[in-house]
Amino acid sequence: MGGRLKPIRKVGMESRSRGEGKTESDLGKEQRPIERILCPLISAALLLLLLIAVLQACQSSGTGTSADTEITVYKTGYCFDTVITLTAYTSRMESETASQILEDALLLCQEYEAKYLDRFGEESEIGAINATQRQIFSENIEAGYEISDDEIVESPEDQTESNNDTDDEAVQKNDKEHSIELKTGTETGYTYEVSDICRDLIEVGLYYYELSNGSFDLTVTPLSDLWNVTDEDFTVPTSEQVAEAKSLVGSDRVTLSGNTLTLGEGQQLNFGGIAKGYMCEVLRQYFTENGLSHVIVNLGGNVFVMGGEEGYTVAVANPLSEDYAAAVFISDGYVVTSGIYERGQEVDGVWYHHIIDPATGYPVDTEIVSATVVMDISDHPDSAVAWHSDVLSTMFVLTKTQEGAYALWQQLKADEKYEELSQVILVLEDGTVTVWNESDQ
């Protein structure tokens, strides 16, 4: 198990545009290249170097000092376990304001992660829930509980001793704006009151759990922690360890009624396949409210553009080749890629990556090396599902085969809810690149 790939060479991206073949000084004379090429799959360092090179060319153009001259402003930061790059195209007169808006947007990302989305941080809402779940699970095991999938049955000999356990306690989150109240001791699990933000994300996760027949699962955290392939000390877990972690996974044991969340014994939540897409949507609304209309957001493979009439060309890298898998022209929308080629380790000739198959408990054994989802919202500015491209790109990898991916594509395109879905781009392990457009139904 664990995938059939050996480590794949990470491929960066060279600058290519309609000005290909021109020298840097030639390009520098142009105020605004029609195509701004980004690549959602390159490493953070290469992305930063590429952006700096492009910006230096633009800013050294010598096109004049008029207040109306367009310049490029960008900010970089680190959040959601990845480098974030925010780029705005604005007039020289408005550049200082744009720079401050981008700076504030980075702080907004850090605030959302710290307050709601960081599953490791006990000061975040989701982190506090997970920490409480781990604590209760550990104490129940020590107290002699016998755990089944459907209920918690206490061993008779330990019933008296455990009366003073955490079942009657309320755990409050250290956050003045909202608190997490734990009500335990029920047969169905452990209940919490959550914020509107976490409620909305959980609703999305549960929806896609059903749509994916269980392959996309918010409760995969115990397995993700076990398969921590980014740890330099990673070792392949035993089958017993996998089975134990897998027993705690399953969104069918999660219920959400309004803001009341109930989790099964030992279950934890993971917004890893949702958080970056959601944050892109938060930033889109933030930039719109603050008057920035030409923006590129790159959150480690999640690219969102607001582009006006000229638009952008987003180059989708092929991790098996130095050529691009595809070039996507888009003025407003999302281009989001998930893949098994970057985050992982080779052990004894086997490539173990970070996308877990909840059905097996192992990294998904898939022929799909990368999947890119394009959501074009130029005609759907009020789209409610465009940011779900983060979830969908992961789901396409989890379909395991080109045939399975095509079945998902057809299912989505048959639903008018996904009319913004304009393209899916797959790179298969044999090197095949498959592109489905709106006409391919």
Side-chain angles (χ1 to χ4, degrees):
M1 300 298 298
R4 292 172 281 184
L5 294 177
K6 292 187 177 181
I8 298 170
R9 178 168 52 87
K10 300 177 185 177
V11 179
M13 189 191 78
E14 300 173 359
S15 179
R16 301 184 184 180
S17 70
R18 292 179 186 175
E20 187 170 16
K22 296 182 181 181
T23 65
E24 180 174 325
S25 60
D26 289 331
L27 289 174
K29 296 176 183 177
E30 300 176 3
Q31 290 187 16
R32 182 179 184 179
I34 293 179
E35 297 182 359
R36 301 188 180 96
I37 304 229
L38 295 177
C39 176
L41 296 180
I42 57 178
S43 67
L46 288 175
L47 172 61
L48 182 58
L49 290 174
L50 173 65
L51 284 172
I52 290 174
V54 172
L55 295 176
Q56 286 176 337
C58 292
Q59 293 173 345
S60 64
S61 62
T63 54
T65 58
S66 168
D68 293 332
T69 300
E70 185 182 76
I71 65 171
T72 307
V73 180
Y74 74 97
K75 296 289 182 179
T76 60
Y78 191 85
C79 201
F80 301 108
D81 200 29
T82 190
V83 172
I84 299 176
T85 304
L86 307 177
T87 307
Y89 300 89
T90 186
S91 68
R92 186 178 300 276
M93 182 174 62
E94 299 293 333
S95 61
E96 186 172 334
T97 299
S99 179
Q100 186 59 56
I101 291 172
L102 295 185
E103 186 69 35
D104 291 343
L106 286 177
L107 295 176
L108 189 63
C109 290
Q110 294 167 0
E111 177 186 347
Y112 268 71
E113 181 180 37
K115 184 178 286 188
Y116 302 106
L117 306 175
D118 182 4
R119 69 184 178 95
F120 297 110
E122 294 187 17
E123 295 302 312
S124 80
E125 185 169 5
I126 189 66
I129 291 173
N130 287 346
T132 302
Q133 286 287 102
R134 289 192 300 270
Q135 177 184 351
I136 294 173
F137 182 68
S138 176
E139 291 178 353
N140 285 345
I141 293 298
E142 291 177 2
Y145 280 100
E146 297 174 1
I147 308 301
S148 71
D149 287 344
D150 301 318
E151 61 182 357
I152 305 168
V153 181
E154 191 175 14
S155 300
E157 61 270 24
D158 294 318
Q159 187 172 9
T160 302
E161 296 178 10
S162 63
N163 282 339
N164 296 322
D165 285 348
T166 61
D167 286 0
D168 298 323
E169 297 176 358
V171 178
Q172 300 293 327
K173 184 180 181 300
N174 184 22
D175 185 335
K176 293 182 180 180
E177 293 189 12
H178 58 262
S179 64
I180 295 175
E181 183 179 355
L182 168 64
K183 304 171 184 177
T184 66
T186 68
E187 292 184 353
T188 55
Y190 300 90
T191 301
Y192 304 83
E193 292 299 313
V194 298
S195 67
D196 290 349
I197 288 175
C198 281
R199 176 203 63 201
D200 292 347
L201 290 174
I202 294 167
E203 282 182 348
V204 170
L206 294 178
Y207 172 80
Y208 284 107
Y209 174 78
E210 296 294 333
L211 188 67
S212 67
N213 295 317
S215 66
F216 183 86
D217 196 326
L218 286 178
T219 67
V220 76
T221 295
L223 287 169
S224 297
D225 291 345
L226 189 64
W227 293 97
N228 186 17
V229 293
T230 59
D231 188 341
E232 61 182 16
D233 297 323
F234 167 74
T235 58
V236 178
T238 65
S239 58
E240 290 78 11
Q241 289 174 316
V242 172
E244 181 180 355
K246 183 174 175 290
S247 70
L248 303 177
V249 175
S251 287
D252 54 333
R253 283 173 275 166
V254 177
T255 60
L256 185 68
S257 178
N259 290 69
T260 301
L261 167 70
T262 302
L263 296 175
E265 173 77 7
Q267 290 195 303
Q268 300 173 55
L269 296 180
N270 186 342
F271 290 153
I274 296 179
K276 289 189 289 185
Y278 173 76
M279 201 65 229
C280 280
E281 180 64 11
V282 171
L283 292 177
R284 178 174 81 93
Q285 296 177 13
Y286 176 77
F287 291 140
T288 300
E289 291 168 359
N290 285 274
L292 285 186
S293 57
H294 303 288
V295 180
I296 299 170
V297 175
N298 191 320
L299 274 72
N302 287 250
V303 173
F304 172 74
V305 300
M306 300 167 61
E309 295 181 358
E310 291 188 357
Y312 307 84
T313 296
V314 179
V316 179
N318 183 339
L320 301 179
S321 169
E322 294 189 8
D323 293 328
Y324 300 139
V328 177
F329 183 78
I330 188 169
S331 59
D332 292 276
Y334 295 80
V335 183
V336 178
T337 298
S338 295
I340 64 173
Y341 59 94
E342 230 178 15
R343 293 176 60 188
Q345 288 193 42
E346 182 185 25
V347 179
D348 297 329
V350 178
W351 179 246
Y352 297 94
H353 57 83
H354 73 291
I355 299 181
I356 306 300
D357 181 358
T360 66
Y362 288 78
V364 62
D365 188 8
T366 179
E367 69 175 2
I368 301 171
V369 178
S370 72
T372 300
V373 170
V374 181
M375 289 278 197
D376 187 343
I377 65 170
S378 54
D379 295 326
H380 310 279
D382 297 323
S383 170
V385 300
W387 66 269
H388 298 181
S389 48
D390 191 10
V391 181
L392 293 174
S393 62
T394 301
M395 281 176 56
F396 275 104
V397 174
L398 287 165
T399 61
K400 303 180 183 180
T401 65
Q402 181 174 340
E403 292 76 14
Y406 187 65
L408 176 58
W409 162 262
Q410 289 184 307
Q411 179 182 4
L412 295 173
K413 293 304 294 179
D415 188 339
E416 61 182 13
K417 183 195 308 186
Y418 297 98
E419 56 186 342
E420 303 93 326
L421 178 59
S422 59
Q423 257 185 334
V424 168
I425 303 156
L426 305 180
V427 177
L428 306 182
E429 64 180 353
D430 65 0
T432 300
V433 176
T434 298
V435 180
W436 296 317
N437 298 295
E438 290 184 282
S439 59
D440 300 319
Q441 296 184 45

